[in-house]
Amino acid sequence: MSKQFDVVVIGAGPGGYIAAIRAAQLGFNVACIDEWKNAAGGPAPGGTCTNVGCIPSKALLQSSEHFHHANHHFAEHGITAKGVSMDVEKMIARKDTVVKQNNDGILYLFKKNKVSFFHGRGSFVKSDVAGYHIKVAGETDETIAGKHVIVATGSTARALPGTPFDEVSVLSNDGALRIAAVPKKLGLIGSGVIGLEMGSVWKRLGAEVTILEGLPVFLGAVDEQVAKEAHKAFTKQGLKIELGVKVGDIKTGKKGVSVAYTSAKGEAQSLEVDKLIVSIGRVPNTTGLNAEEVGLKLDERGAIEVDADCKTNLPGVWAVGDVVRGPMLAHKAEEEGVAVAERIAGQHGHVNFNTVPWVIYTSPEIAWVGRTEQQLKADGVAYKAGSFPFLANGRARALGDTTGFVKFLADAKTDEILGVHIVGPMASELISEAVVAMEFKASAEDIARICHAHPSLSEATKEAALAVDKRTLNF
Ligand code: FAD
Ligand code: NAI
């Protein structure tokens, strides 16, 4: 007989492990299955985010930023640092330690919340009165059953057709996060979030970095003014970004990788690099789930089809995170996980997609919430804009990081905040105030009238809100 649970979660990434914990908090008997293995073959819950995504990328961004500061910015503070060098092996080992702390943290949280963890691949077997029977193929196979199942199996990197990842020369996010030595020349396909974050890491460490982007515009989903400012900063840092290219044949050999491409002008070009990172988006992951066995419906992209409440076509089966529609972000997956657990408990779980923030952890950081100026124009919304440069912010000057600005977009009539866009220092932290404000349907004036600590970067947020009414105090 299958071991019986109220809720079985498949996948322990941010969508799955958070759903499992919330369901357990609500009094359910919960199992969570995850197949990720650490180097020793043991369990490594946390999914893409913890193992080969958010956490390790931020660890490497931090290490490489320290290195960059030591080489380029210490001197202006009067600090002489001679012979600064980077031990890549140590940097990667530190990153691995950070990852392991997070893996262990999740295992501890499962224990604390009495979530039963199963290490192995989960696949649907059948459904009957006991609910859905899920086989866990691990060190030993066993089958468990759940009245409710939450599928949170995440996503995997999309490869270029005909060029599979070998993780030696042609790298996905996985290989990109464990390059053993700084490549002399690094190529990236795709100037999206991963391309820019990973390109920044290896550029700061001394690689010559070229990014080939298919679209003719840089960061098309980002507010145009922000994208322009970021492009200027990245180019100044020495990141070569070629837009509007068409990537052709990719050949790997002993000497590295050769990428044939057509430039925006239509000229045949080739890029010779030691390593190539392909970061052209991700695909939903349903491999081995045996979805067809129980009739779980997928859409044309291979994502699990869900409604606004994350309900699939099967009663009692839910899906959250990267494996369903919507932005592929850890915090979006988490919000959906919490909401689904609450819906199973008969509560009114809710996710507000209009206030999901985006952050790109480059230098300068880029963060936004709500609509861009180009979206408001396309939607025919009458709006007011106000922005404030970090150059006029005392804390930014003291930090020595004055690139960028905060920009507010507010409804022309009601002054309700419709979007906030930040490019500059600590944008990732500053954006939270805008998220809270939009969640509470605040007006730009509300932010302008709130007392902000001095000196702080958040004063730039207050000033940008004041700028909507054309009454900045420090600019
Ligand atoms: P995942 O994290 O992919 O987890 C799915 C889990 O399910 C995995 O552990 C997988 O092994 C397991 N699994 C799959 N199938 C089965 C099965 N059949 N049986 C058992 N287990 C299974 N997002 C951010 O918000 N901020 C960031 O800074 C950020 N940085 C990123 C950097 C990189 C390099 C990458 C690649 C992604 C980044 N993301 C970031 C995106 C983020 O990682 C994903 O949006 C997030 O991990 C999605 O969570 P999830 O729970 O849906 O899936
Ligand atoms: P992405 O969607 O951000 O960017 C992919 C880029 O590749 C786009 O600019 C696209 O136009 C380009 N592209 C696609 N096909 C191409 C081709 N054949 N030739 C040249 N260019 C091509 O995807 P990315 O960077 O792979 O990241 C995947 C997802 O992971 C992101 O969308 C995001 O959801 C998540 N992520 C989030 C991070 C964060 O929140 N800070 C960090 C990293 C990833």
Side-chain angles (χ1 to χ4, degrees):
M1 251 234 330
S2 303
K3 235 184 245 167
Q4 180 72 48
F5 292 90
D6 300 322
V7 180
V8 173
V9 183
I10 309 177
Y17 91 79
I18 290 292
I21 289 173
R22 184 71 189 116
Q25 283 176 347
L26 290 162
F28 292 115
N29 181 18
V30 182
C32 186
I33 309 167
D34 191 274
E35 65 177 339
W36 209 294
K37 287 182 183 151
N38 60 25
T48 301
C49 168
T50 300
N51 293 295
V52 289
C54 324
I55 302 299
S57 59
K58 267 79 251 178
L60 296 190
L61 279 156
Q62 192 61 54
S63 300
S64 60
E65 192 165 3
H66 283 320
F67 181 66
H68 177 82
H69 276 276
N71 278 315
H72 300 281
H73 297 295
F74 275 15
E76 70 212 38
H77 293 267
I79 305 167
T80 309
K82 282 194 186 127
V84 176
S85 64
M86 171 52 86
D87 182 338
V88 174
E89 208 176 306
K90 215 165 175 178
M91 175 184 78
I92 299 287
R94 174 189 177 272
K95 179 262 301 178
D96 291 340
T97 305
V98 174
V99 168
K100 184 161 187 317
Q101 284 165 348
N102 282 273
N103 296 143
D104 292 348
I106 295 166
L107 289 171
Y108 160 78
L109 289 171
F110 280 160
K111 266 210 185 105
K112 181 182 162 203
N113 289 282
K114 300 191 175 52
V115 172
S116 302
F117 178 68
F118 292 84
H119 190 211
R121 171 167 287 190
S123 54
F124 284 100
V125 180
K126 61 173 183 180
S127 67
D128 61 18
V129 285
Y132 295 88
H133 294 254
I134 315 283
K135 179 180 157 196
V136 186
E139 250 174 39
T140 54
D141 290 358
E142 60 185 306
T143 301
I144 60 177
K147 287 266 178 230
H148 288 267
V149 177
I150 304 174
V151 182
T153 46
S155 63
T156 53
R158 185 151 74 89
L160 280 164
T163 309
F165 297 113
D166 60 18
E167 305 298 4
V168 178
S169 305
V170 181
L171 315 175
S172 69
N173 56 298
D174 183 2
L177 288 160
R178 50 185 171 86
I179 299 177
V182 181
K184 201 164 167 300
K185 291 185 175 185
L186 174 69
L188 295 105
I189 313 284
S191 68
V193 199
I194 296 181
L196 292 172
E197 289 188 357
M198 287 299 100
S200 295
V201 167
W202 297 103
K203 172 75 196 121
R204 289 170 190 167
L205 299 182
E208 192 183 306
V209 176
T210 306
I211 309 181
L212 301 179
E213 166 61 45
L215 288 179
V217 287
F218 180 63
L219 286 178
V222 174
D223 186 86
E224 263 172 27
Q225 213 182 331
V226 168
K228 222 171 165 185
E229 180 81 3
H231 190 264
K232 203 168 69 186
F234 298 146
T235 308
K236 203 167 149 201
Q237 287 161 20
L239 278 180
K240 283 188 218 149
I241 304 168
E242 268 207 59
L243 301 174
V245 310
K246 191 167 177 348
V247 175
D249 274 358
I250 296 182
K251 291 199 176 80
T252 54
K254 274 197 188 135
K255 282 193 176 159
V257 189
S258 172
V259 182
Y261 68 97
T262 312
S263 74
K265 285 186 186 151
E267 290 156 351
Q269 303 277 358
S270 94
L271 175 72
E272 315 299 324
V273 290
D274 302 304
K275 304 238 178 235
L276 181 73
I277 299 172
V278 177
S279 46
I280 57 167
R282 297 178 63 79
V283 286
N285 173 33
T286 53
T287 316
L289 195 57
N290 211 17
E292 56 288 354
E293 187 62 36
V294 282
L296 182 61
K297 216 166 143 193
L298 308 185
D299 67 16
E300 63 286 352
R301 286 185 320 123
I304 295 176
E305 206 169 277
V306 288
D307 67 8
D309 287 346
C310 293
K311 272 187 193 147
T312 69
N313 65 313
L314 300 176
V317 180
W318 311 72
V320 301
D322 280 11
V323 78
V324 304
R325 82 293 171 260
M328 289 186 169
L329 295 172
H331 40 283
K332 175 265 192 182
E334 290 183 16
E335 291 302 306
E336 285 181 335
V338 167
V340 163
E342 292 177 352
R343 284 171 196 138
I344 292 173
Q347 299 182 1
H348 300 281
H350 179 65
V351 182
N352 184 355
F353 283 96
N354 297 323
T355 54
V356 173
W358 278 85
V359 179
I360 308 178
Y361 294 82
T362 43
S363 178
E365 289 187 347
I366 300 167
W368 73 97
V369 58
R371 281 183 280 177
T372 61
E373 205 166 339
Q374 60 266 29
Q375 280 172 331
L376 291 175
K377 279 183 188 151
D379 294 348
V381 177
Y383 65 92
K384 299 176 284 183
S387 50
F388 188 82
F390 284 108
L391 198 62
N393 174 272
R395 184 74 194 278
R397 281 198 216 114
L399 285 173
D401 194 352
T402 53
T403 314
F405 55 84
V406 179
K407 171 173 170 178
F408 267 63
L409 298 169
D411 188 281
K413 251 199 206 136
T414 65
D415 198 36
E416 182 181 341
I417 302 166
L418 302 174
V420 176
H421 305 270
I422 308 175
V423 52
M426 288 291 166
S428 54
E429 300 295 333
L430 294 174
I431 200 66
S432 288
E433 180 180 5
V435 175
V436 174
M438 285 185 64
E439 195 65 53
F440 283 90
K441 297 206 168 293
S443 63
E445 189 183 352
D446 287 330
I447 299 300
R449 289 194 178 276
I450 290 172
C451 181
H452 288 67
H454 175 78
S456 71
L457 296 170
S458 72
E459 286 174 292
T461 307
K462 177 187 171 104
E463 290 274 5
L466 280 164
V468 170
D469 199 28
K470 299 194 175 31
R471 54 186 184 95
T472 51
L473 296 164
N474 285 286
F475 188 60

